[in-house]
Every structure is written in C-alpha cells, then in structure tokens.
Amino acid sequence: MRRIYESNALRRDDEPFSPTDPDDRRWTKALAGEHRTINWDAFSHAFMPGWLRERAITVDIETSRDRYEVGEPVGFCVTMRNRFPISVKLQTRSPVLWTWAVDGLVDAAKIDRSNPTERRSVFSFGRGERKRFERTWSQTIRHSRREWVPVDPGEYTLSAAINVPNAAERGLAAETTISIE
Amino acid sequence: MALLEVEDLEVRFYTEDGVVNAVDGVSYRIERGEKFGVVGESGAGKSVTALSVMRLIDNPGQIEGGEIRFKGENLLDMDEEEIRSIRGSEIAMVFQDAQTALNPVYSVGEQIAEAIRLHLGYDDEAARDRTIEMLERVGIPDPADRYSDYPHQFSGGMQQRAVIAMALSCDPDLLICDEPTTALDVTIEAQILELLDELADEFGTAIQLITHDLGVVAETCDRVMVMYAGKPVEKAPVEDIYYDPKMPYTVGLMSSIPRIGDERDRLQTIPGTMPDLIQLPPGCSFHPRCPYAEEVCTQIEPPLVDPETGEPAEGVDAERGAACLAYTGDLQNELGYEVHVEGESHRSAVRDVEEITGGDTDV
Ligand SMILES: Nc1ncnc2c1ncn2[C@@H]1O[C@H](COP(=O)(O)OP(=O)(O)OP(=O)(O)O)[C@@H](O)[C@H]1O
Ligand code: SF4
Ligand SMILES: [Mg+2]
C-alpha cells in the first residue's frame, strides 16, 4: 500500500502545519550540477515523431487460463513494453493511463469512468521499460453504482488499451478470449 | 451551522497501476467543541480525508467531488492564500508521527514561536512568552530551558506534546489529530490523549481524532465514523457504537479492543486484509471477510442507511447509519452476534462478542 505520508502527494513546504520534507534534494542537485546536463529524455521526445513513438510501445494481455468454471475469478496480466532504447511519452486522454475491458465494457462496468476529467496526462516509458499490471475479473458486470450481475457461461473477450483515441488501430491495445463453462 | 461539514467527498490517486479510490462518498459534520472520531484499519482513507480538509493533497491525488464547508464556506473553492490563513490558525493538525511536523533544523521553541508570529501577528518577545506558556501547558518541564532544544533532544512523547502545543498555540477552532499516539507506548498514549481531551475542553476546540483503536475513540469522542475501503460504513454516537454496533466490520473492530496494557495486534481478530482500493470486490467491499456474507453481498453494495428504519443516512446530518444489506431487507439471514459488556469504563471493560448464527461464508 502506498502511504500518504511517505508519498509526494502530500504538499510540503516551509509553512508551519504542513509536513516538512524529509528528502529535500534541491541543494544536492544544484551542487551536482544537474541543471547543466542536457535532458536527453526531453530531447528525444521533442524530435521523435508521434507515429514512431507509438511503434515503440507494445501492449499484451494474458489470462491465467483459457477456460474457467462459472463464478471462478479470472486472473489476467497486462504487459506493456518500450522496444526502443530511448524513453517514450504518450499523451493520454485523461489521468487514467490505461484501461481494461470485458466485451468492450471498461472495468467490466456499464458506467464508464475512464475519462473522469478533461485533463490530459502523460504515460511515460523509460528506455526498454517493461510494465506489468495484474487484475482479476470477478465474472460480473457492474450495471450501476451499486449493482453487479454475474455473467452467463459463454465466450468473453478481455482487452487492455492505453488511453489514447483509436488505441487498437494504433497498436496500443490487445485482447484475448476466454470461455466460461 | 456546524463548524465543519464534509459532504460526499471523493479523492482519487491516479497511478500507473490504476485509479486508487481513496475516499469515496464520505460525509460527516463536526459541531463546535465536539470530539469526532474516525476509525478504521490501515488504508481505509482516514489520513487522506483529513489531509483533504487541510487542502494538503497534491498530485497524483485529486479531490474530485464534494464540498468541505468550514463555518459555511467551501474550502475547496478557496485560493491558496485564503487556505493558508485558515490552515494553522483556524484548523490545525497533529500528524501521525511528530517527526513529520517538526523540522529537525530549528529548535522546538523557534518553530512554535514562528507559527504564533505568523498566525497571530505577535512580536518576537510576545511569541516567545506564549510559546513557553504553551510548552508548560502541555507538560514540558522547564519550558524556558527547553525552548532552544532541537526536536531530537525531545523524547517521542515530548515531541508529540510540543506538536500539540504548536497546534493549539493559535487557538484553532478545529484540531485534526491523525493517530497522534501510534508511535508512542501505551502509558504515554493514555497521558497524551488525556491532555488532548483536557485542552480541547479548556480551549473550546473541536477535535477530529483519527485512530485504529475503537477503545481510544470510546474514551475520548462524542460521535464516531467507521471507515472501510474509502467509505463510511457506520456512523453513530459513541455509546451506540459501543453497546450496539450495527455493521459487522464494526463488530469485528469492537471485539478486538484490547484491555489496558494488552499490546497484541489490535485487529487480529478480523481475518483477512482490506482489499486493494484500485480494484474493490464487487458488492459489499467487506464481503470477503464478513462471517455473515451471502451471495447477494457480492452483487449489491449496501448504502449507508438508518439501521432502525432503513431510510438513507448518507447525508452530512445523519446521526446513525450503517452500510449492511441486513438493513435494506436484502439479506436472507440475520446478523447473529451478541455484544456483552462487563465493567464500568469503556476502555477497561471486558468485551465479548458472541456469534450465534452465521451466514454462508463460502462466497
Ligand atoms: N501517493 C499515493 N499514491 C497512491 N495511493 C495512495 C497515495 N497515498 C495514499 N494512497 C492510498 O490511499 C488510500 C488511503 O490511504 P490513507 O493514508 O488515507 O489510509 P489511512 O486510513 O490513514 O491508513 P493508516 O491507518 O495506515 O494511516 C490507501 O489505500 C493508500 O494506498
Ligand atoms: S452481511 Fe453482507 S452487506 Fe452486511 S457487512 Fe457482511 S458482506 Fe457486507
Ligand atoms: Mg493514516
């Protein structure tokens, strides 16, 4: 679990009643002359065209098995990889950087919360970075804020996509099919 | 108008791993001079709720919904300058551990005096005098001599006393204490809580006390909100929660109240852990751990309702509410537990929660 007091999500400054920063590296950074070196990541971002940046990233989705019994939790894993030796940043539609879906329903829900705000955001990949995310689908579809309905036996498509427009066409999505019997 | 009214607060953290729904639909109010307890296991969203009231949540955290009205004004609409004038002088906070609040490079006295100068506009000498007075009031011996000591020269208990002195030095109307005693041993804990209680009465300060420990709440607070997985699951006057808990999670917390001096893990009697807030189980978030869970608990999330009438109790003003399908008529069996309390004081009482019947646990 991320702890709020140990994270950067807590505003810290010199004002009394706001927590002090245990890790104030401003000075050491300045001493190390960090401001003088070229930021290669920003550099490559500025000069690499968007279509090339997208080619760098692969998305993959894998379930623990192909067949499940009714009611059995479906564990799956989403892997994303940057194939390039330079860092890549993709602009996403909202701070939700990626989504997963069952038969096209994001988060297996009929209420789509993947773009809660208009605010765009950035999904960053380090050089050659691989990211892995684990999820479990409970074999239910959320019909409303407070109601979930179990699905019937049959085939279901699980998918994952980076939260950009037309992710599938741009190669930033993946899907797999399972059967529930 | 209540001193603080939090209405339908929603706070999320946008992480690479997913969206953390840290606070989801939390409403409560605190009256002037009242002591309000917030209880729940680690990760329930207690600190994030409190830090939202202080407007101290920063990226990737976002306050995405609701209102936080202090004396009728929505803190979420205020600009940074307005917030600064309230933070510290009208609402002060004692953080989970004293080291977060004290800056190691300034003397304890200087830090308190600085707060007083900033918020009350005192000159140097007056600020120093008031600091010494406050240090004395919180039980620091030889306060004039200790004024120039650095935080590391204070013991943990004394550091927390100094933080309380700092928090109360500007006479705030609301003091938020975020587990002020978790880092301390039990005897010091009892002393600090007593001190807080006493000072709050003396200064007329309202307190929002956050803790893992329902025993602490029972001793100190007037009303309580129990949180689980970012949501309020029970709200009640302290007597009711103590003698007549309605939500199975609260019952679990109650049966784990230790007797004084008993240092075993306070929540070990509820098996399992709180779910990941990125991916909550469907239905009632507590169902994987609830001894009374039925199939319906995996399909419907119980709203907060009045356990007597079943009427909605999600609002700011609701006195009594519990989030369990037993009170919405959706549960087939009854919740089968009985609470026995022996002894006078809440804290030292021997509690015994007996399960009489149980629902189907294999869901
Ligand atoms: N910077 C962060 N990034 C992502 N998630 C966070 C961050 N800070 C807190 N959280 C999440 O928010 C949720 C609520 O955390 P919070 O600190 O409010 O819990 P708490 O009830 O105060 O727990 P404790 O008793 O351990 O202090 C947790 O699930 C936590 O993982
Ligand atoms: S009985 Fe069901 S609704 Fe009530 S607390 Fe247990 S799991 Fe939740
Ligand atoms: Mg906390």
Side-chain angles (χ1 to χ4, degrees):
Chain A
M1 186 190 88
R2 293 288 303 276
R3 305 297 306 269
I4 184 73
Y5 285 106
E6 288 149 21
S7 74
N8 293 322
L10 178 59
R11 202 168 285 207
R12 294 166 194 277
D13 48 37
D14 293 334
E15 187 195 354
F17 302 109
S18 70
T20 56
D21 192 342
D23 185 27
D24 190 340
R25 295 216 193 85
R26 264 173 303 178
W27 287 108
T28 41
K29 264 189 191 158
L31 288 174
E34 225 174 83
H35 56 289
R36 273 186 280 114
T37 60
I38 292 172
N39 183 341
W40 285 104
D41 287 346
F43 188 80
S44 65
H45 188 241
F47 290 96
M48 187 162 50
W51 61 267
L52 190 58
R53 246 182 277 152
E54 286 167 11
R55 294 278 308 269
I57 306 298
T58 62
V59 177
D60 201 19
I61 184 168
E62 224 179 338
T63 50
S64 52
R65 296 207 308 273
D66 296 337
R67 293 160 192 282
Y68 293 84
E69 284 183 24
V70 172
E72 221 187 333
V74 179
F76 62 97
C77 183
V78 176
T79 312
M80 299 173 191
R81 199 163 75 84
N82 176 6
R83 294 185 296 172
F84 286 9
I86 46 172
S87 77
V88 168
K89 291 181 165 63
L90 298 174
Q91 192 180 59
T92 54
R93 283 190 284 205
S94 79
V96 179
L97 303 179
W98 64 276
T99 58
W100 64 275
V102 175
D103 286 351
L105 293 172
V106 172
D107 287 338
K110 290 190 172 169
I111 35 171
D112 186 352
R113 301 220 276 186
S114 52
N115 293 299
T117 64
E118 298 279 289
R119 247 173 339 110
R120 284 161 193 251
S121 191
V122 173
F123 202 178
S124 308
F125 293 83
R127 314 153 200 223
E129 186 186 352
R130 217 172 88 112
K131 302 180 196 282
R132 244 177 88 96
F133 307 109
E134 281 172 16
R135 289 288 190 276
T136 307
W137 176 42
S138 58
Q139 286 197 16
T140 57
I141 299 292
R142 189 174 188 175
H143 280 232
S144 64
R145 164 122 168 85
R146 299 197 178 277
E147 196 195 353
W148 287 256
V149 177
V151 298
D152 294 324
E155 302 248 300
Y156 292 90
T157 302
L158 268 64
S159 59
I162 292 181
N163 192 11
V164 295
N166 310 316
E169 287 153 43
R170 294 158 71 183
L172 298 172
E175 60 178 50
T176 183
T177 303
I178 57 156
S179 82
I180 294 174
E181 34 202 54
Chain B
M1 180 205 315
L3 180 66
L4 179 75
E5 292 165 312
V6 173
E7 185 167 1
D8 209 9
L9 183 67
E10 281 178 34
V11 186
R12 302 203 175 85
F13 290 86
Y14 290 96
T15 72
E16 215 171 74
D17 200 24
V19 182
V20 182
N21 293 296
V23 177
D24 189 7
V26 168
S27 300
Y28 63 94
R29 66 163 209 287
I30 302 179
E31 303 288 347
R32 276 163 210 276
E34 190 184 29
K35 294 173 197 121
F36 184 75
V38 179
V39 200
E41 278 167 289
S42 191
K46 307 180 299 293
S47 296
V48 172
T49 302
L51 292 164
S52 302
V53 174
M54 296 290 282
R55 278 265 308 265
L56 286 171
I57 298 290
D58 212 344
N59 266 329
Q62 292 286 335
I63 298 179
E64 292 206 322
E67 288 194 2
I68 300 176
R69 294 183 295 270
F70 183 70
K71 299 181 180 169
E73 306 258 355
N74 187 0
L75 298 179
L76 301 181
D77 288 340
M78 292 186 184
D79 62 28
E80 196 52 33
E81 198 179 329
E82 289 171 298
I83 277 295
R84 272 171 189 256
S85 73
I86 287 185
R87 201 191 288 146
S89 41
E90 298 200 53
I91 309 178
M93 184 155 170
V94 175
F95 295 104
Q96 211 150 351
D97 73 311
Q99 271 140 20
T100 318
L102 293 173
N103 191 327
V105 303
Y106 296 106
S107 78
V108 171
E110 255 315 301
Q111 292 183 56
I112 301 175
E114 169 66 15
I116 295 172
R117 280 194 295 266
L118 193 74
H119 292 291
L120 300 182
Y122 282 29
D123 65 23
D124 287 2
E125 205 183 307
R128 189 188 160 90
D129 289 347
R130 173 138 174 106
T131 301
I132 293 171
E133 193 185 300
M134 286 308 299
L135 286 174
E136 171 145 46
R137 189 61 202 82
V138 297
I140 306 268
D142 310 318
D145 294 340
R146 305 301 302 255
Y147 183 93
S148 34
D149 279 4
Y150 287 87
H152 73 268
Q153 292 169 289
F154 275 39
S155 69
M158 267 166 50
Q159 286 180 358
Q160 203 56 297
R161 284 172 194 267
V163 172
I164 292 171
M166 171 145 79
L168 289 175
S169 62
C170 305
D171 201 5
D173 290 317
L174 175 63
L175 179 64
I176 301 179
C177 301
D178 191 356
E179 311 209 33
T181 56
T182 28
L184 307 173
D185 73 49
V186 203
T187 7
I188 312 280
E189 172 180 33
Q191 289 169 9
I192 298 271
L193 288 170
E194 207 169 295
L195 174 71
L196 267 177
D197 204 27
E198 207 180 291
L199 290 176
D201 288 342
E202 184 184 322
F203 288 68
T205 313
I207 289 191
Q208 175 173 334
L209 178 67
I210 298 169
T211 167
H212 284 107
D213 188 339
L214 257 179
V216 165
V217 158
E219 273 302 276
T220 326
C221 297
D222 307 312
R223 285 184 307 124
V224 192
M225 170 169 75
V226 180
M227 286 183 76
Y228 189 76
K231 285 165 283 200
V233 293
E234 183 152 4
K235 280 201 271 187
V238 76
E239 299 288 315
D240 288 357
I241 232 152
Y242 199 77
Y243 294 105
D244 191 17
K246 293 294 191 190
M247 157 79 190
Y249 176 63
T250 315
V251 176
L253 286 180
M254 298 295 301
S255 51
S256 56
I257 291 181
R259 299 169 209 180
I260 267 185
D262 181 352
E263 293 197 47
R264 87 203 133 103
D265 182 3
R266 302 186 176 193
L267 288 169
Q268 70 185 11
T269 54
I270 308 178
T273 52
M274 217 180 48
D276 181 355
L277 300 190
I278 290 181
Q279 204 185 18
L280 288 174
C284 176
S285 303
F286 187 56
H287 88 248
R289 300 171 71 186
C290 181
Y292 312 106
E294 299 175 7
E295 195 178 2
V296 67
C297 302
T298 66
Q299 295 168 9
I300 300 178
E301 176 176 66
L304 206 58
V305 296
D306 182 319
E308 303 302 328
T309 63
E311 294 294 314
E314 314 230 278
V316 174
D317 291 323
E319 282 295 323
R320 188 84 169 96
C324 173
L325 295 174
Y327 309 112
T328 56
D330 292 297
L331 206 67
Q332 269 175 357
N333 295 310
E334 307 217 329
L335 300 178
Y337 56 79
E338 236 168 54
V339 179
H340 309 277
V341 184
E342 299 161 25
E344 315 264 293
S345 144
H346 289 330
R347 200 115 205 258
S348 56
V350 178
R351 308 190 50 84
D352 179 15
V353 177
E354 193 184 328
E355 245 176 67
I356 357 182
T357 57
D360 179 7
T361 28
D362 331 292
V363 281

